[in-house]
């Protein structure tokens, strides 16, 4: 059984002193890219997806295929995680579909536009942990607000996490992992210059980690936005503006400071898109999606495998050999 919980993956990461990449996928081809990268590098991995983010006709259709696909990787320890669950009901749906971990994003109110109060966030998160833990499923909560848009929806302003609130939040909700807003943002537009300490608050990680030692910290919006991929995309009709992401060295450093789960979506998607755009431009007569998706899959597998080396999870699959899913 390849499936493990987020708690199992991150407890092992703490023991081994490494981080585990959580890679966003919106279809099965991308999921294969991530799982093949994990197999090739002997890594434990977190495969994550967002409600409504796939081109498939329903979440249930996609999630079932995703869940079944993981069975083809019995040698890879895999967490199947719902990223940014917008409601308790969505988390329940994911758990029913076989996810071993869910994120309840209680940082926004039910309208998904305004910030929730601390009490509202605690209430929805606690309700979710009660339900999930009773079924052996892990839960990630969010404190503060990570900027940008994770799903193409409203663009959120950054609200940094507060260490006192983090301690109180964990105490009240019993979350396994906590997404802490430290200045990163989701998407393809992050920083207008290479980020330094005034933008990326690594000091907050250290402080919060010391306050919640049994809860694993999560860094969202961790893509680096590689300039070479942007150049390829823009050379083939793209119009991505110049933007800087989180440098690889900072991500590696964050795993030494207490970050255990590192979320990446945009870098994978840029690699996929760059490969597809250049293939279509170079080969004007092929229109079969399977042909260009193969190029995309290979490019995504390569960048995910590179990140697995940076985060330190490469070579760590052995830690889960004896672990069976709940
Ligand atoms: P990026 O947008 O930087 O890839 O981050 C993805 C993420 O944090 C998903 O939750």
């Amino acid at each position: 059984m390849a499936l493990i919980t987020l708690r199992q993956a991150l407890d092992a990461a703490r023991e081994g002193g490494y981080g585990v990449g959580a890679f966003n996928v919106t279809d099965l081809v991308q999921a294969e890219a991530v799982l093949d990268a994990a197999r090739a590098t002997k890594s434990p991995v977190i495969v994550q997806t967002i409600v409504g983010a796939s081109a498939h006709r329903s979440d249930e259709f996609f999630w079932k295929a995703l869940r079944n696909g993981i069975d083809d990787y019995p040698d890879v320890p895999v967490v199947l995680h719902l990223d940014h669950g917008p409601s308790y009901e969505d988390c329940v749906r994911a758990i029913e579909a076989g996810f071993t971990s869910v994120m309840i994003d209680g940082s926004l109110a039910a309208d998904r536009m305004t910030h929730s109060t601390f009490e509202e966030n605690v209430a929805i998160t606690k309700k979710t942990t009660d339900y999930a833990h009773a079924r052996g499923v892990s839960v990630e909560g969010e404190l503060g607000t990570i900027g940008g848009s994770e799903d193409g929806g409203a663009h959120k302003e950054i609200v940094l996490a507060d260490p006192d609130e983090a301690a109180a939040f964990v105490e009240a909700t019993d979350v396994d992992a906590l997404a802490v807003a430290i200045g990163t943002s989701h998407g393809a537009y992050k920083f207008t210059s290479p980020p330094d300490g005034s933008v990326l608050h690594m000091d907050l990680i250290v402080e919060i980690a010391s306050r919640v030692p049994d809860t694993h910290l999560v860094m969202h919006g961790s893509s680096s936005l590689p300039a070479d991929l942007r150049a390829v995309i823009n050379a083939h009709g793209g119009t991505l503006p110049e933007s800087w992401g989180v440098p690889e060295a900072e991500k590696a450093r964050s795993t030494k400071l207490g970050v255990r789960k590192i979320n990446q979506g945009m870098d994978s998607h840029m690699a996929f898109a760059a490969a597809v755009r250049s293939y279509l431009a170079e080969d004007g007569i092929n229109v079969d999606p399977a042909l260009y998706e193969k190029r995309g899959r290979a490019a995504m597998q390569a960048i995910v495998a590179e990140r697995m080396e940076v985060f330190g999870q490469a070579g760590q699959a052995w830690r889960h050999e004896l672990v069976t899913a709940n």
Side-chain angles (χ1 to χ4, degrees):
M1 170 71 87
L3 276 177
I4 59 170
T5 65
L6 187 67
R7 169 59 77 176
Q8 287 169 327
L10 301 187
D11 279 355
R14 178 176 52 201
E15 205 178 292
Y18 57 91
V20 186
F23 300 97
N24 287 81
V25 301
T26 56
D27 65 25
L28 277 191
V29 174
Q30 296 162 43
E32 254 187 291
V34 173
L35 291 164
D36 285 344
R39 174 173 276 164
T41 59
K42 298 189 173 10
S43 302
V45 69
I46 302 162
V47 173
Q48 62 182 16
T49 191
I50 291 176
V51 168
S54 85
H56 296 290
R57 65 180 148 74
S58 74
D59 287 329
E60 273 64 24
F61 180 87
F62 175 42
W63 292 354
K64 187 171 160 193
L66 195 50
R67 169 68 192 78
N68 288 339
I70 291 170
D71 282 345
D72 265 20
Y73 295 82
D75 50 323
V76 180
V78 185
V79 180
L80 179 56
H81 176 79
L82 182 72
D83 188 24
H84 287 283
S87 72
Y88 168 79
E89 290 75 19
D90 286 313
C91 291
V92 169
R93 281 201 300 130
I95 292 168
E96 283 174 353
F99 283 53
T100 54
S101 177
V102 292
M103 175 182 184
I104 176 73
D105 182 353
S107 65
L108 290 180
D111 64 7
R112 309 309 297 160
M113 302 294 283
T114 50
H115 295 292
S116 58
T117 64
F118 179 78
E119 291 71 25
E120 286 166 345
N121 192 353
V122 164
I124 189 170
T125 305
K126 175 81 170 80
K127 190 172 166 188
T128 306
T129 45
D130 284 348
Y131 182 87
H133 284 175
R135 288 155 184 82
V137 170
S138 305
V139 177
E140 174 183 339
E142 175 171 329
L143 202 60
T145 305
I146 294 144
S149 168
E150 66 278 357
D151 57 2
H155 191 95
K156 302 177 216 161
E157 294 308 317
I158 297 172
V159 180
L160 293 179
D162 174 86
D164 288 335
E165 279 196 351
F169 186 79
V170 165
E171 170 83 31
T173 61
D174 198 24
V175 285
D176 302 282
L178 184 63
V180 285
I182 59 155
T184 60
S185 55
H186 295 107
Y189 320 109
K190 298 191 192 297
F191 312 116
T192 50
S193 59
D196 58 18
S198 66
V199 182
L200 272 185
H201 296 265
M202 292 291 177
D203 49 323
L204 257 184
I205 291 173
V206 178
E207 205 179 335
I208 295 175
S210 73
R211 300 289 301 274
V212 293
D214 196 39
T215 302
H216 300 293
L217 301 188
V218 184
M219 186 156 82
H220 281 242
S222 308
S223 280
S224 307
L225 309 183
D228 57 335
L229 293 179
R230 186 169 54 244
V232 173
I233 291 169
N234 288 350
H236 296 96
T239 53
L240 287 177
E242 191 166 52
S243 184
W244 279 264
V246 181
E248 293 304 285
E250 284 299 291
K251 282 183 265 190
R253 190 162 80 93
S254 78
T255 66
K256 304 298 167 212
L257 302 178
V259 168
R260 293 279 156 253
K261 174 173 180 273
I262 305 174
N263 282 20
Q264 171 185 305
M266 201 46 70
D267 282 356
S268 310
H269 292 166
M270 282 176 75
F272 200 109
V276 171
R277 277 182 183 269
S278 52
Y279 175 73
L280 288 176
E282 282 153 21
D283 189 339
I285 58 165
N286 271 321
V287 292
D288 180 351
L291 295 176
Y292 56 79
E293 284 181 14
K294 265 186 204 167
R295 300 296 178 103
R297 175 161 65 81
M300 182 161 162
Q301 182 180 331
I303 198 168
V304 168
E306 270 174 39
R307 296 293 186 266
M308 287 171 164
E309 300 288 344
V310 172
F311 303 160
Q313 73 205 82
Q316 303 287 351
W318 64 271
R319 290 181 186 274
H320 295 285
E321 255 168 21
L322 298 176
V323 175
T324 49
N326 39 82

